[in-house]
Amino acid sequence: MQTSETVDVTPQPRPLSDTEKNGYRTLAALCLAKEKQDEMAVFIDNLNDFEGDDGYFTTLNYVMDWEDDHDLFFIMAVDWKEEVDTLEWRIDNAVKNNFGLCISLPDPQDYIDTPVYDPKVFPDYEAALSKHDLKLGFIDTQADEYVFFVHRTADQSAVEEAVRQIGYRYK
């Protein structure tokens, strides 16, 4: 008598390392509104490693996708050739939702037909943020997009360390 057993070859999810989880927790504590941090903490506690995943390719991509689905305006991305109005919308929402500020940002109408990679775009937004002790932090993903978040200027060294813990370089 022969028996036939089905072998499940579906790869099992790998838990994310404690170091990476700590990096995401630290970034959330420094850059995300207090009332959203509990929701993010539960997500991070259950986060798996998505490096090499066929759908997301990296854990960071999975995190950004989840954040977009939950309107968190935390770690965000814009394509290098994206129009400035998308960048402005993301920065404005991050500042309002995470820091409770309504600040005057550069008008996207001043950048008609100007992609975000134009050398004047990010410095103009940095200048507006710096008046409120905020700045843009960039995660170097070696890709053709800008991955960024807003943080307090005073928190830069802690933010740099958190980005390193999630496996990237702060720019």
Side-chain angles (χ1 to χ4, degrees):
M1 176 169 142
Q2 287 186 327
T3 61
S4 173
E5 287 187 35
T6 304
V7 178
D8 185 8
V9 292
T10 306
Q12 295 301 309
R14 294 180 317 270
L16 194 64
S17 74
D18 289 340
T19 299
E20 287 177 84
K21 285 183 180 184
N22 186 56
Y24 283 112
R25 282 187 199 103
T26 300
L27 281 176
L30 296 172
C31 306
L32 190 61
K34 295 263 187 248
E35 61 271 9
K36 298 289 187 175
Q37 289 180 15
D38 287 343
E39 179 182 8
M40 189 73 193
V42 170
F43 171 74
I44 293 167
D45 287 344
N46 294 297
L47 187 58
N48 287 319
D49 187 338
F50 283 84
E51 293 302 314
D53 179 82
D54 290 341
Y56 292 103
F57 305 109
T58 68
T59 303
L60 180 60
N61 286 339
Y62 181 80
V63 169
M64 289 190 299
D65 191 54
W66 184 87
E67 291 171 11
D68 274 351
D69 289 345
H70 292 83
D71 296 322
L72 293 186
F73 299 98
F74 171 33
I75 301 172
M76 303 165 283
V78 292
D79 188 82
W80 67 279
K81 58 187 179 290
E82 187 76 47
E83 304 238 347
V84 174
D85 59 341
T86 301
L87 175 70
E88 190 272 340
W89 176 74
R90 288 193 174 277
I91 293 172
D92 186 54
N93 275 288
V95 170
K96 284 178 185 170
N97 295 337
N98 297 325
F99 299 96
L101 299 173
C102 187
I103 68 174
S104 179
L105 293 170
D107 186 347
Q109 296 302 310
D110 294 341
Y111 303 91
I112 297 295
D113 298 324
T114 304
V116 297
Y117 73 81
D118 186 280
K120 67 183 176 195
V121 172
F122 284 112
D124 288 352
Y125 280 87
E126 283 279 359
L129 290 168
S130 71
K131 293 175 185 174
H132 302 275
D133 297 319
L134 296 173
K135 71 177 289 152
L136 293 174
F138 292 88
I139 297 175
D140 185 3
T141 62
Q142 305 279 316
D144 62 350
E145 65 183 352
Y146 295 98
V147 176
F148 66 97
F149 50 92
V150 177
H151 67 86
R152 287 184 178 82
T153 305
D155 294 334
Q156 184 164 338
S157 61
V159 166
E160 286 178 12
E161 175 59 19
V163 170
R164 188 195 62 72
Q165 288 179 328
I166 65 170
Y168 295 92
R169 197 182 88 207
Y170 175 95
K171 288 183 7 181

